[in-house]
């Protein structure tokens, strides 16, 4: 049989429409109950993951950061004691603290200037 003849026979044959619900043989109510059951299981899984994985991980990270910051603070105090009550002057690299467009409207220091941590650029600008 030629291709055209087969095509004509297939087109002439009556078509039967099948629906997806006929294949599953389940009702809408059963599908909804299955969805609700799955949602409850998934919720419980993520609740357990949150309590038994995330919270302990947050606690461990908090303790680790606390220890690192305590070591850093002790080192800073040691540097201050070694240098007569002041932090040592950082190296004056030419690529640090540059402003191509001039000072800020409120001065040479940034808006969030902290004299304990940041270098005071108003003193170096006067020199």
């Amino acid at each position: 049989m030629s291709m055209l003849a087969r095509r004509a026979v297939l087109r002439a044959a009556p078509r039967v429409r099948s629906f997806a619900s006929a294949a599953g043989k389940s009702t809408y109510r059963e599908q909804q109950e299955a969805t609700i059951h799955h949602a409850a299981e998934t919720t419980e899984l993520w609740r357990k993951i949150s309590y038994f994985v995330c919270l302990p991980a947050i606690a461990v990270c908090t303790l680790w950061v606390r220890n690192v910051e305590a070591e850093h603070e002790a080192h800073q105090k040691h540097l201050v004691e070694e240098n007569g009550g002041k932090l040592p002057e950082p190296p004056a690299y030419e690529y640090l603290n540059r402003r191509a467009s001039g000072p800020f409207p409120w001065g040479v220091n940034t808006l969030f200037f902290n004299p304990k941590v940041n270098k005071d650029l108003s003193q170096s600008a006067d020199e």
Side-chain angles (χ1 to χ4, degrees):
M1 186 183 269
S2 74
M3 179 71 92
L4 290 173
R6 259 190 270 166
R7 193 175 195 186
V9 169
L10 288 174
R11 284 187 178 203
R15 294 185 184 157
V16 178
R17 191 167 188 188
S18 61
F19 296 99
S21 64
K25 302 275 187 196
S26 63
T27 65
Y28 175 76
R29 185 172 183 90
E30 290 171 349
Q31 290 175 355
Q32 286 298 104
E33 288 173 359
T35 302
I36 290 170
H37 178 69
H38 174 71
E41 287 178 349
T42 305
T43 302
E44 190 61 30
L45 170 73
W46 282 105
R47 181 176 288 122
K48 287 177 183 175
I49 288 173
S50 296
Y51 288 141
F52 301 121
V53 175
C54 296
L55 291 179
I58 290 170
V60 166
C61 289
T62 301
L63 292 174
W64 180 76
V65 167
R66 185 175 151 255
N67 289 337
V68 168
E69 287 299 318
E71 289 175 10
H72 178 67
E73 186 179 355
H75 181 249
Q76 289 290 89
K77 285 181 181 178
H78 175 71
L79 283 176
V80 167
E81 288 173 6
E82 270 186 353
N83 294 303
K86 284 188 153 187
L87 281 175
E89 196 66 30
Y93 296 118
E94 66 219 27
Y95 55 84
L96 291 177
N97 303 317
R98 286 180 29 191
R99 293 239 347 123
S101 61
F104 295 109
W106 52 86
V108 289
N109 291 325
T110 65
L111 187 61
F112 303 105
F113 173 70
N114 182 357
K116 289 184 178 179
V117 187
N118 303 116
K119 182 179 179 182
D120 191 4
L121 297 177
S122 62
Q123 293 174 355
S124 62
D126 295 339
E127 295 170 1

